[in-house]
PDB file of all heavy atoms in Angstrom:
ATOM      1  N   MET E   1      -3.360   2.341 -17.932  1.00  0.00           N
ATOM      2  CA  MET E   1      -2.266   2.953 -17.141  1.00  0.00           C
ATOM      3  C   MET E   1      -1.895   2.006 -16.056  1.00  0.00           C
ATOM      4  O   MET E   1      -2.717   1.367 -15.413  1.00  0.00           O
ATOM      5  CB  MET E   1      -2.755   4.296 -16.584  1.00  0.00           C
ATOM      6  CG  MET E   1      -1.718   4.950 -15.709  1.00  0.00           C
ATOM      7  SD  MET E   1      -2.239   6.480 -14.955  1.00  0.00           S
ATOM      8  CE  MET E   1      -2.146   7.536 -16.438  1.00  0.00           C
ATOM      9  N   GLU E   2      -0.579   1.805 -15.821  1.00  0.00           N
ATOM     10  CA  GLU E   2      -0.095   0.949 -14.774  1.00  0.00           C
ATOM     11  C   GLU E   2       0.981   1.655 -13.948  1.00  0.00           C
ATOM     12  O   GLU E   2       1.746   2.474 -14.511  1.00  0.00           O
ATOM     13  CB  GLU E   2       0.533  -0.273 -15.380  1.00  0.00           C
ATOM     14  CG  GLU E   2      -0.366  -1.254 -16.042  1.00  0.00           C
ATOM     15  CD  GLU E   2       0.396  -2.454 -16.606  1.00  0.00           C
ATOM     16  OE1 GLU E   2       1.435  -2.237 -17.221  1.00  0.00           O
ATOM     17  OE2 GLU E   2      -0.131  -3.574 -16.434  1.00  0.00           O
ATOM     18  N   HIS E   3       0.999   1.363 -12.694  1.00  0.00           N
ATOM     19  CA  HIS E   3       2.059   1.889 -11.799  1.00  0.00           C
ATOM     20  C   HIS E   3       3.219   0.862 -11.829  1.00  0.00           C
ATOM     21  O   HIS E   3       2.945  -0.385 -11.809  1.00  0.00           O
ATOM     22  CB  HIS E   3       1.569   2.036 -10.375  1.00  0.00           C
ATOM     23  CG  HIS E   3       2.557   2.580  -9.408  1.00  0.00           C
ATOM     24  ND1 HIS E   3       2.989   3.903  -9.438  1.00  0.00           N
ATOM     25  CD2 HIS E   3       3.324   2.020  -8.513  1.00  0.00           C
ATOM     26  CE1 HIS E   3       3.888   4.057  -8.500  1.00  0.00           C
ATOM     27  NE2 HIS E   3       4.115   2.962  -7.913  1.00  0.00           N
ATOM     28  N   GLN E 111      -7.519   2.355  -8.076  1.00  0.00           N
ATOM     29  CA  GLN E 111      -7.901   2.347  -9.471  1.00  0.00           C
ATOM     30  C   GLN E 111      -6.761   2.213 -10.513  1.00  0.00           C
ATOM     31  O   GLN E 111      -7.016   1.781 -11.605  1.00  0.00           O
ATOM     32  CB  GLN E 111      -8.714   3.623  -9.807  1.00  0.00           C
ATOM     33  CG  GLN E 111      -9.990   3.817  -9.005  1.00  0.00           C
ATOM     34  CD  GLN E 111     -10.935   2.674  -9.239  1.00  0.00           C
ATOM     35  OE1 GLN E 111     -11.219   2.279 -10.347  1.00  0.00           O
ATOM     36  NE2 GLN E 111     -11.492   2.080  -8.183  1.00  0.00           N
ATOM     37  N   ILE E 112      -5.558   2.502 -10.157  1.00  0.00           N
ATOM     38  CA  ILE E 112      -4.372   2.384 -11.000  1.00  0.00           C
ATOM     39  C   ILE E 112      -3.683   1.105 -10.563  1.00  0.00           C
ATOM     40  O   ILE E 112      -3.186   1.066  -9.444  1.00  0.00           O
ATOM     41  CB  ILE E 112      -3.481   3.579 -11.010  1.00  0.00           C
ATOM     42  CG1 ILE E 112      -4.219   4.864 -11.461  1.00  0.00           C
ATOM     43  CG2 ILE E 112      -2.228   3.303 -11.898  1.00  0.00           C
ATOM     44  CD1 ILE E 112      -3.378   6.103 -11.374  1.00  0.00           C
ATOM     45  N   PHE E 113      -3.721   0.098 -11.337  1.00  0.00           N
ATOM     46  CA  PHE E 113      -3.125  -1.189 -10.922  1.00  0.00           C
ATOM     47  C   PHE E 113      -1.596  -1.205 -11.096  1.00  0.00           C
ATOM     48  O   PHE E 113      -1.089  -0.419 -11.885  1.00  0.00           O
ATOM     49  CB  PHE E 113      -3.784  -2.320 -11.781  1.00  0.00           C
ATOM     50  CG  PHE E 113      -5.192  -2.630 -11.267  1.00  0.00           C
ATOM     51  CD1 PHE E 113      -6.247  -2.040 -11.832  1.00  0.00           C
ATOM     52  CD2 PHE E 113      -5.312  -3.552 -10.210  1.00  0.00           C
ATOM     53  CE1 PHE E 113      -7.581  -2.263 -11.366  1.00  0.00           C
ATOM     54  CE2 PHE E 113      -6.625  -3.836  -9.755  1.00  0.00           C
ATOM     55  CZ  PHE E 113      -7.724  -3.223 -10.306  1.00  0.00           C
ATOM     56  N   MET E 114      -1.005  -2.127 -10.346  1.00  0.00           N
ATOM     57  CA  MET E 114       0.458  -2.271 -10.471  1.00  0.00           C
ATOM     58  C   MET E 114       0.786  -3.168 -11.627  1.00  0.00           C
ATOM     59  O   MET E 114       0.046  -4.045 -12.046  1.00  0.00           O
ATOM     60  CB  MET E 114       0.808  -2.980  -9.174  1.00  0.00           C
ATOM     61  CG  MET E 114       2.320  -3.222  -9.011  1.00  0.00           C
ATOM     62  SD  MET E 114       3.281  -1.727  -8.778  1.00  0.00           S
ATOM     63  CE  MET E 114       2.633  -1.068  -7.288  1.00  0.00           C
TER      64      MET E 114
END
Side-chain angles (χ1 to χ4, degrees):
M1 180 180 286
E2 291 180 317
H3 181 74
Q111 297 300 314
I112 300 175
F113 284 92
M114 184 66 62

